[in-house]
Amino acid sequence: MMLPFLLALAQTTPVAPLPFLLALAQTTPVAPLPRATPLPPPTSEEGQVMAPVTAILKALETNNGGAVLAATRPEGVVAVALEAPDGRRGVRHLSWSDFASRLKPDGNRYEERLFDPAIEIDGDVAFVWARYTVMKNGAPEHCGYDLFDLVREGGAWKVLNVTWSQRTTGCQG
């Protein structure tokens, strides 16, 4: 709709229209919006896979061990590959019940943020792989990558295992 006006203006204006067109094209410099990575709709198969993952993340925020156990298979495990700032490394394993029993209020507010989750599904098996950052009272505490593996039984997805890397350097909110 604007093109016919600009063409007519270019034909009737004795001055070259380029400065006028450039003036129209200029914008106020602003920081770009962060890239949106919306989670899948809850009714999609991917959304159903994410439901127990999201429930676990919410349980971490609310120190709700019972909610963790409701979203997981009891025979599963939690594994953490730790990387200390001095370069030392180690792996820690916990049962889901041990993990859930450690969720106790400590006066801090925690939030785990997932970035660009990759969701793969094959029949009744799925995994979610995502970069994460744990925020403690609004500041990055540690980060790494999460790997949730899930199974579906009776139409319901449950997290069987979760493994994550954990470091305290290079974390972004």
Side-chain angles (χ1 to χ4, degrees), residues 3-167:
L3 185 59
F5 170 74
L6 294 174
L7 289 174
L9 183 64
Q11 290 175 358
T12 60
T13 305
V15 179
L18 186 57
F20 173 74
L21 293 175
L22 289 176
L24 286 177
Q26 291 178 352
T27 58
T28 303
V30 295
L33 292 174
R35 191 170 129 228
T37 53
L39 290 176
T43 56
S44 71
E45 193 169 18
E46 290 83 2
Q48 291 171 17
V49 165
M50 283 301 295
V53 171
T54 302
I56 290 172
L57 299 180
K58 185 54 108 178
L60 296 174
E61 288 179 27
T62 59
N63 295 299
N64 187 341
V68 167
L69 296 176
T72 60
R73 298 273 311 169
E75 68 274 14
V77 296
V78 174
V80 186
L82 299 163
E83 180 183 324
D86 65 5
R88 288 180 297 135
R89 296 173 181 263
V91 177
R92 195 172 54 190
H93 295 86
L94 297 165
S95 68
W96 280 114
S97 60
D98 287 341
F99 179 80
S101 71
R102 293 175 181 227
L103 294 179
K104 297 187 182 345
D106 66 358
N108 292 299
R109 185 177 48 84
Y110 295 94
E111 174 192 4
E112 182 168 346
R113 298 177 182 170
L114 296 183
F115 301 92
D116 302 323
I119 304 165
E120 294 291 334
I121 304 168
D122 183 37
D124 292 328
V125 175
F127 77 80
V128 175
W129 169 265
R131 182 173 63 85
Y132 79 90
T133 298
V134 168
M135 306 296 285
K136 179 179 177 182
N137 300 321
E141 182 193 49
H142 67 268
C143 59
Y145 278 82
D146 282 336
L147 173 61
F148 296 88
D149 66 269
L150 301 92
V151 292
R152 178 171 43 193
E153 280 188 309
W157 287 101
K158 297 278 186 163
V159 174
L160 179 60
N161 303 300
V162 65
T163 305
W164 71 87
S165 59
Q166 182 175 320
R167 64 185 167 281

